Amino acid sequence: MNKTKFGQFGGQYVPETIMNALHELEAAYRHYQNDPEFLEEYGYYLKQYVGRPSPLYFAEGLTKRLGGAKIYLKREDLNHTGAHKINNVMGQLLLAKRMGKTKVIAETGAGQHGVATATGAALLGMECTVFMGEEDIERQALNVFRMELLGAIVEPVNSGTKTLKDATNEAIRAWIHRVEDTFYVIGSVVGPAPYPEMVRDFQKVIGEEARKQLLEAEGCLPDAIIACVGGGSNAMGIFHAFMADEAVELIGVEGAGKGIETGLHAAAIAEGKVGVLHGMKTFLLQDQQGNITPAYSVSAGLDYPGIGPEHAALHEQQRANYVSVTDDEAIDALNALCLSDGILPALESAHAIAYVMKLAPTMSADQILVVNLSGRGDKDVHTIAAYKKGELQ
Amino acid sequence: MNRIDKTFQALRAEGKKALITYVVAGDPGLKQTVDLVLAKAQAGADIVELGIPFSDPLADGAVIQAAAQRSLNRGTTIDGVFDAVRGIRTQSQVPLVFLVYYNTVLAYGREAFLGECKETGVDGLIIPDLPYEEREEMVALMDESVHLITLVAPTSEQRIEKLVRDAKGFVYCISTLGITGGGAGFFSGLEAFLAKVKSQTETPIAVGFGITKKEQVKPLLPMVDGVIMGSKIVDVIHQSQGDSAELDAFVRSIKIEFE
């Protein structure tokens, strides 16, 4: 039972009403995480429905352009629904089904996790409600429509900052209310235990595949793994398989928004203090009174004032290194990858590319970087267009 | 002796039950908070819960969320709330219990926060996001001067015994599946739930969440040692723009049910 923390981080800081539900989830997860039948079913959907394994693509154009380390992209953008989110959703929904739950709820920021949950729920015949901040509903109208097409109910949240943080509060409140028949599908490595560990486990396939694919392609391990970090699920997913390979540097890239010094950013590790939100102890953007301050990033998926507790622990142990890049740098990187390799990355993933553009030229041609290209950018074209026109505040 | 314990002891001796009411500190302003708490105490509130506003109150419904937001917008600080407690203590010894989210305590510093509670005269803490599994990190720092109040929910079931084993002050029994302010209605097995909690502890038990009408009070009294009214009081305060006389009248109308 003491497996709820990563060092001092994580835990189960939630109201008593949902403690039994968490224990029930934990017990079910412990039972099924090594159950061959469950893993076979999960593996079947990852292969036949999600389209795994995703390729590890040698980005010839970007490598040439930057003139340093060889760059490989783990193509999570090619998954069904366009991002890594579906890996986790399939795992949690199959678990929910085994637990006899017929209704699911989820929170969403940009809408990617909401779309993935609505997709999985449609596939498995479950009733799905997605909580989404009113601000995000406006910014991501297309994803709202997609969720509705998939039969989900999108519940607008108008409290607080009307974004992901508040959608998460509202999803937890709804879970407190409906805990007896409802499964809460959390979209990142955040929330109370066992979610951070469970979500990581449902994403670790990314790193396991990448490790094997790179060994096949190059016969060696990479010098560094790079992934963007909002809550941090795509990063934990690719980091996990390399955790024991101490020579492999793990780099998480936070959203620096308009620049750390402006206060308009989402860099919870760079600027946050240890606190408790959404059931976990971790680094949080907060004021002196402990009130959570709004995160900002051009990428709605990085726009979260906290970070998964395992990342907080990896930061404290200095096993992983956390850096940040600005909106401008991310947009430049997005443009660069479009032109160099014909790949339109999600704005989130463009943050990882932006850091690669700084790092790769400082490295030699026999060194290797693996980047988690966590999602595709189709969902972001309106945002990018507005940004280029200077319409974004 | 802690004021909460003293109050329940005195009530028990008279065969009476406690009326516990809630107020969000700083809504509509901290100065009014002092007056409102004093008015409640005069009108018959036996214990007062003082909510410290937090940006993300995940156990609270719309009414208290909105009140907390109004308070924060006015610039309410933790030190400001402690000052209000000092103000109350110059005129009243009504037991005061903070309803505070854990991040507020962490941001202030746990030792410093408890030190201020002790010094200003706060008798108990309700921390809704610090369940049994995590409470040791607070309990280890506490003594009898401030009680960490135990919350028990309809879903607690087999956990009840361990939750209430070392309960101090009173046990807070949550009457609904849901958040503050009700809407969900009482949990259908409420009577059995309260009886079960009662049978497992000598500590007084109080019931709250979703009690909005005085008609709800009387049927509950035989089963508990106290009744907690939160969102409804916050609403009365908001509707009257913090008028002490209106609050006084409302609390008196509830208190009649206790006679």
Side-chain angles (χ1 to χ4, degrees), chain A residues 12 16-17 20 169 173 290, chain B residues 55-57 78 103 134 155-156:
Chain A
Q12 296 178 312
E16 169 61 23
T17 308
N20 252 337
N169 289 336
R173 289 184 186 117
Chain B
S55 57
D56 294 79
I78 308 168
N103 201 50
E134 308 290 354
T155 49
S156 298

Side-chain angles (χ1 to χ4, degrees), chain A residues 45-108:
Chain A
Y45 283 107
L46 286 187
K47 184 173 177 205
Q48 303 296 345
Y49 189 68
V50 175
R52 304 205 70 90
S54 66
L56 183 72
Y57 164 72
F58 171 54
E60 213 179 329
L62 192 64
T63 300
K64 224 177 258 169
R65 177 181 160 151
L66 297 176
K70 283 175 108 169
I71 300 158
Y72 280 87
L73 305 178
K74 181 60 175 164
R75 298 290 307 274
E76 292 301 298
D77 60 317
L78 296 177
N79 292 339
H80 181 42
T81 71
H84 70 291
K85 294 287 185 191
I86 190 82
N87 302 327
N88 165 49
V89 163
M90 288 316 301
Q92 287 197 49
L93 290 183
L94 291 170
L95 183 63
K97 209 175 91 178
R98 302 239 168 181
M99 290 172 72
K101 310 274 180 181
T102 54
K103 297 176 185 168
V104 298
I105 55 174
E107 82 294 335
T108 199

Side-chain angles (χ1 to χ4, degrees), chain A residues 193-237:
Chain A
Y195 282 101
E197 177 195 349
M198 178 172 73
V199 174
R200 176 204 71 203
D201 286 349
F202 286 137
Q203 292 290 3
K204 70 182 180 188
V205 63
I206 303 172
E208 288 169 354
E209 286 175 8
R211 197 173 187 281
K212 192 163 155 261
Q213 288 164 321
L214 191 72
L215 284 172
E216 277 166 16
E218 295 281 350
C220 65
L221 292 174
D223 292 273
I225 306 277
I226 298 164
C228 64
V229 182
S233 68
N234 89 79
M236 277 321 308

Side-chain angles (χ1 to χ4, degrees), chain A residues 183-342:
Chain A
F183 188 100
Y184 179 20
V185 184
I186 294 187
S188 191
V189 286
V190 299
Y195 282 101
E197 177 195 349
M198 178 172 73
V199 174
R200 176 204 71 203
D201 286 349
F202 286 137
Q203 292 290 3
K204 70 182 180 188
V205 63
I206 303 172
E208 288 169 354
E209 286 175 8
R211 197 173 187 281
K212 192 163 155 261
Q213 288 164 321
L214 191 72
L215 284 172
E216 277 166 16
E218 295 281 350
C220 65
L221 292 174
D223 292 273
I225 306 277
I226 298 164
C228 64
V229 182
S233 68
N234 89 79
M236 277 321 308
I238 196 161
F239 285 176
H240 190 68
F242 297 91
M243 211 73 93
D245 304 315
E246 280 174 27
V248 179
E249 194 185 355
L250 307 175
I251 302 172
V253 186
E254 297 190 291
K258 293 185 183 301
I260 303 275
E261 69 289 350
T262 66
L264 295 170
H265 61 80
I269 284 208
E271 289 290 291
K273 285 191 311 240
V274 176
V276 163
L277 179 73
H278 298 153
M280 62 180 164
K281 188 180 277 183
T282 188
F283 290 100
L284 300 170
L285 298 178
Q286 53 182 308
D287 66 17
Q288 283 226 307
Q289 305 295 318
N291 293 306
I292 307 305
T293 50
Y296 164 80
S297 169
V298 67
S299 142
L302 301 185
D303 195 349
Y304 184 70
I307 186 161
E310 193 170 7
H311 284 294
L314 291 177
H315 169 67
E316 201 167 70
Q317 298 154 11
Q318 299 185 351
R319 174 63 189 96
N321 182 20
Y322 294 86
V323 297
S324 61
V325 306
T326 63
D327 288 356
D328 287 345
E329 291 170 324
I331 298 268
D332 286 348
L334 180 142
N335 286 327
L337 190 64
C338 280
L339 297 176
S340 67
D341 291 85

